[in-house]
């Protein structure tokens, strides 16, 4: 998806209610930031089961809310959570997907900034 957030899906999810929209945005950003931090720790620690679980949880909630930009790298992390092979650079494939997920998360935060209540 070219846009990090599918605003039509997000608005449809909250029946286009501005108050509910702001609440969902606040909740998503708070939870996703916490999950991203946990995902970062899990990837760096090589905790593949945790990578798989966190990526699955965040990917599901992101897709539900229309945060489409982050879904692909999270799905990649979820599926490669079992893989522990290293690339020639010494980075795991998970590290590259994590960097893309972090980039997409920042794009989502920027896209949703005007909808936040605080």
């Amino acid at each position: 998806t070219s846009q990090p957030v599918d605003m039509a899906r997000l608005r449809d999810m909250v029946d286009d209610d501005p108050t509910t929209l702001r609440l969902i945005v606040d909740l998503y950003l708070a939870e996703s930031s916490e999950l991203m931090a946990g995902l970062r720790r899990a990837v760096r620690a090589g905790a593949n089961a945790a990578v798989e679980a966190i990526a699955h949880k965040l990917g599901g909630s992101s897709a539900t809310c229309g945060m489409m930009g982050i879904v692909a790298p999270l799905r990649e992390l979820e599926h490669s959570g079992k893989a522990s092979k290293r690339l020639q650079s010494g980075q795991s494939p998970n590290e590259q997907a994590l960097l893309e997920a972090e980039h997409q998360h920042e794009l989502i935060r920027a896209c949703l900034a005007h909808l936040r209540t605080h």
Side-chain angles (χ1 to χ4, degrees):
T1 307
S2 57
Q3 292 296 315
V5 179
D6 180 343
M7 288 304 297
R9 180 182 283 195
L10 182 57
R11 290 185 193 288
D12 188 51
M13 186 183 133
V14 298
D15 291 329
D16 211 14
D17 178 67
T19 303
T20 307
L21 180 65
R22 283 191 298 276
L23 178 65
I24 291 294
V25 165
D26 285 347
L27 285 171
Y28 175 82
L29 291 174
E31 181 176 295
S32 64
S33 295
E34 197 173 298
L35 288 170
M36 284 300 299
L39 188 58
R40 189 177 311 110
R41 287 190 299 272
V43 167
R44 304 258 157 87
N48 295 325
V51 169
E52 187 178 358
I54 296 168
H56 176 79
K57 181 176 182 178
L58 183 53
S61 62
S62 297
T64 299
C65 294
M67 312 304 174
M68 304 315 294
I70 200 170
V71 172
L74 289 173
R75 291 289 179 242
E76 189 178 329
L77 281 165
E78 181 183 350
H79 296 303
S80 71
K82 298 170 185 145
S84 59
K85 64 181 186 218
R86 299 270 162 194
L87 303 177
Q88 288 179 345
S89 67
Q91 284 188 328
S92 72
N94 288 349
E95 185 76 22
Q96 290 186 323
L98 174 67
L99 291 172
E100 179 59 22
E102 289 176 331
H103 173 69
Q104 290 296 328
H105 191 249
E106 286 306 310
L107 293 176
I108 288 168
R109 291 182 71 80
C111 185
L112 297 176
H114 68 288
L115 298 172
R116 300 209 57 194
T117 55
H118 50 76

